[in-house]
Amino acid sequence: MFQFEIKKIFFNKRLLYLLLFLLIGIALLFARNFAFQESIMKEREQQIISYIQQGQKIINQYQTTLVKDPNDENTKALLVMMTSMVDTLYETRTAFIENDWKQELEKENQFLNDVLAFKAAGGDYALLNDTIQRTVATNKQLLTSNIPPEAEGYSIAVPNYLKQVVDILVNFGAIIIILIVIGDMLTVEFEQRSINFLYTQPLKKSTIIHSKFWSAVVVYGLVIFCGLATAFGISAMFGKQGTFLYPLLVEQGDQLNFLTISEYLFFALTSTTVIALFVIALCLLVSLIFKHSIATLLIITVILIGGYLLLGQLTFPSKEWLNPFQYVFTKETIMSVGHDWYKGIAITLFLALLCYLLAILRMRFIRV
């Protein structure tokens, strides 16, 4: 039965079209990143220039104020601070033009810390304190690790690009793939009456569930492997090496911590595989209850998204241990809990096993 189910899925044009679409999408995503490299550099320089222009505008305002009131000591102090900040920005731009990323990050951090001091002294500058703190922390981590910065969402370095592809897969992407390829693998047996043929074979009814579940797991693994292999191959051939130690900022409440890309990839793929097992088992159980493809897909989607939103809003003791839906959007979860990513694994696997056993039990009592 397992071999039979595998052949059915592998020779299904839907799977072939999905793989083709996935591979083309990954290639186009890299092509977009590659094409935007020059634009990203220009945008970075324009950001520095905009800071300089804002600083010069503030300097002009202070100078105008001092013309009217030369004895305004507070304005004098703020003028000195802003003049120093603008000088730092010019140094930042020079380091950027000379491609001296260490000097650029050091000067940027000096400027951002000066902005915090400037605002604390009563000045006004259009940068949020939270944004400043995140940028300063990231720059410090990059300098400490001796790793040059990469553009978020547009990198062509192998680890960063793999992370971008994984982000898409783990944020409901893998679940969509499961629902498209294998969401109707059991309901179609009832809709086409082929379940009658299976029931006449000399095998246990539970074997039907076993074969469909594990063939679905194999197909899920194949799709994820093909996607990652394509992303790695394209970025290795046409991108740059990069490092899997690249730091990723994690905001755990008021604390700023870091994961490496290698840690993130392991956490994200493991969590997504766990929720995939739950979704596959849930598909089988719901299929046996409703025996209709569209109804099954709609109900599963409502359960997953509804569970994620509802339990995400509730507050109760040990929530991180008891919420099986937190991995529906895995990236969001990991970027908020960091190294505590594993806490929902046990409850999710328990529900997957429960749905699996209920599906077997339901299958035994179905009459056709």
Side-chain angles (χ1 to χ4, degrees):
M1 270 299 291
F2 175 74
Q3 293 177 352
F4 175 69
E5 291 295 337
I6 286 288
K7 290 178 181 179
K8 279 175 61 178
I9 298 176
F10 278 10
F11 287 103
N12 190 331
K13 290 184 178 180
R14 188 190 309 173
L15 175 61
L16 299 178
Y17 288 146
L18 176 66
L19 285 174
L20 182 62
F21 175 80
L22 179 65
L23 301 185
I24 292 175
I26 290 173
L28 289 177
L29 179 63
F30 183 84
R32 184 209 67 159
N33 289 4
F34 191 86
F36 273 84
Q37 290 304 296
E38 185 176 349
S39 298
I40 292 300
M41 298 297 288
K42 290 181 179 178
E43 183 178 336
R44 170 60 174 165
E45 184 177 14
Q46 186 57 46
Q47 180 188 50
I48 299 173
I49 292 173
S50 69
Y51 290 159
I52 293 174
Q53 291 173 341
Q54 184 179 175
Q56 290 173 335
K57 182 179 179 181
I58 294 173
I59 289 174
N60 292 335
Q61 292 174 349
Y62 287 158
Q63 289 174 341
T64 301
T65 300
L66 289 174
V67 169
K68 298 177 181 179
D69 185 5
N71 297 320
D72 189 340
E73 297 299 329
N74 184 55
T75 301
K76 287 181 181 179
L78 292 175
L79 176 60
V80 171
M81 294 177 68
M82 181 53 65
T83 302
S84 176
M85 290 162 59
V86 170
D87 290 340
T88 302
L89 285 171
Y90 277 115
E91 293 174 356
T92 305
R93 187 185 181 191
T94 300
F96 170 79
I97 294 173
E98 294 176 353
N99 201 27
D100 186 350
W101 66 268
K102 290 184 179 180
Q103 180 74 0
E104 178 189 348
L105 296 188
E106 288 173 355
K107 290 299 179 181
E108 182 180 30
N109 273 8
Q110 180 182 335
F111 162 72
L112 293 174
N113 286 323
D114 287 345
V115 170
L116 291 176
F118 176 76
K119 295 173 74 174
D124 185 22
Y125 199 88
L127 272 176
L128 297 177
N129 288 356
D130 290 344
T131 302
I132 293 174
Q133 292 169 356
R134 287 194 294 267
T135 304
V136 169
T138 301
N139 288 350
K140 282 183 178 179
Q141 188 69 23
L142 290 170
L143 289 166
T144 302
S145 305
N146 194 31
I147 299 173
E150 293 287 338
E152 178 71 22
Y154 288 92
S155 177
I156 59 174
V158 174
N160 301 74
Y161 181 66
L162 272 176
K163 188 257 181 186
Q164 188 179 357
V165 172
V166 168
D167 283 347
I168 297 173
L169 290 174
V170 303
N171 262 15
F172 211 73
I175 295 177
I176 293 175
I177 291 173
I178 292 173
L179 295 180
I180 291 176
V181 178
I182 58 180
D184 64 345
M185 66 185 306
L186 189 53
T187 55
V188 73
E189 303 286 2
F190 291 96
E191 292 173 343
Q192 297 179 359
R193 300 291 182 180
S194 55
I195 191 69
N196 294 315
F197 171 75
L198 294 179
Y199 270 35
T200 61
Q201 300 306 302
L203 50 84
K204 294 181 179 180
K205 293 180 180 179
S206 60
T207 303
I208 300 174
I209 299 298
H210 296 322
S211 60
K212 289 187 178 294
F213 179 85
W214 291 110
S215 60
V217 172
V218 170
V219 170
Y220 161 79
L222 172 68
V223 173
I224 296 299
F225 174 79
C226 289
L228 294 180
T230 301
F232 181 86
I234 292 176
S235 56
M237 289 176 61
F238 303 105
K240 55 186 180 181
Q241 184 175 0
T243 174
F244 283 94
L245 297 178
Y246 193 92
L248 303 174
L249 182 65
V250 176
E251 298 185 55
Q252 294 180 261
D254 296 331
Q255 295 183 342
L256 300 179
N257 298 313
F258 288 91
L259 298 175
T260 64
I261 283 185
S262 60
E263 289 176 324
Y264 173 78
L265 294 179
F266 175 75
F267 298 166
L269 291 174
T270 302
S271 303
T272 302
T273 299
V274 169
I275 194 68
L277 296 176
F278 172 53
V279 172
I280 293 171
L282 185 63
C283 277
L284 296 177
L285 178 60
V286 176
S287 296
L288 290 171
I289 296 174
F290 293 94
K291 303 175 186 178
H292 189 277
S293 298
I294 296 178
T296 296
L297 294 177
L298 287 176
I299 290 170
I300 292 173
T301 302
V302 170
I303 290 174
L304 293 175
I305 296 180
Y308 178 83
L309 295 176
L310 178 61
L311 292 182
Q313 296 296 322
L314 297 179
T315 301
F316 50 89
S318 302
K319 173 182 175 180
E320 63 275 14
W321 292 96
L322 300 176
N323 181 7
F325 297 100
Q326 59 188 293
Y327 301 123
V328 171
F329 295 96
T330 300
K331 178 187 175 183
E332 304 300 325
T333 298
I334 293 178
M335 286 305 172
S336 62
V337 301
H339 288 90
D340 293 332
W341 64 278
Y342 59 88
K343 290 186 175 180
I345 295 290
I347 185 64
T348 308
L349 286 176
F350 172 76
L351 284 184
L353 179 60
L354 180 62
C355 290
Y356 187 76
L357 295 176
L358 289 175
I360 293 174
L361 186 63
R362 174 71 177 172
M363 193 72 180
R364 289 176 178 175
F365 289 97
I366 286 181
R367 297 290 183 267
V368 296

